[in-house]
Amino acid sequence: ATVSVLYWSFYFLLYNMGRIIADLPPMKAEDYAEFERSVKPWGEQRAVRRNQLYTAGAGAAAGGVLGWVWPVMMRRNTSMVGGFMALAFGIGGGVIGHTAGTTVFPDVAPNNETTMMRRLWWAKQCSADWEYKLPEDFSTKYPHVDTSVLKQ
């Protein structure tokens, strides 16, 4: 099974290496805010997902603190026991926080669809001021390419 996983991951890596269409700049915080305001329902879903993750993170942090405070401060155990308990309580708090977050903030769109739409929106925003003019010597270098589709 390991060999086939390595083979297919290497195959997909090689297959997708030359597929970058444009090297877009990274989105900034104001770009994310603009996406959330202007693209419904995917912008709303991004805001919902952020709230879900904040809730899960707060649950994990609270569980980790509780996992150290309870054995060390209340039961007078060592810090090593507190560390292991903080790890276990942190994982449990993250699970509880995730469940609470998805219950309090229900999804309005699938997350993978939201990511795809955010990438499409960002590509459209970046390409708004691009110039689609071909170089002068393009036809001589590539005589078999049909450029009539580019002329508008």
Side-chain angles (χ1 to χ4, degrees), residues 55-65 86 89-95 97:
T55 307
V65 168
F89 275 54
I91 292 171
V95 169

Side-chain angles (χ1 to χ4, degrees), residues 9-68:
S9 61
F10 184 70
Y11 171 77
F12 286 122
L13 177 70
L14 282 179
Y15 181 73
N16 292 321
M17 280 178 75
R19 299 266 178 196
I20 294 177
I21 304 300
D23 193 11
L24 300 176
M27 290 178 74
K28 297 183 175 78
E30 52 270 8
D31 300 322
Y32 284 110
E34 167 84 20
F35 174 75
E36 289 177 11
R37 278 192 311 273
S38 63
V39 184
K40 308 286 184 203
W42 299 286
E44 293 174 10
Q45 174 57 27
R46 187 176 182 285
V48 164
R49 184 63 177 158
R50 188 180 59 245
N51 290 334
Q52 289 174 349
L53 292 176
Y54 284 161
T55 307
V65 168
L66 179 67
W68 190 85

Side-chain angles (χ1 to χ4, degrees), residues 13 35 64 81 92 117 129 141:
L13 177 70
F35 174 75
V81 172
M117 293 306 292
D129 58 345
K141 283 185 179 178

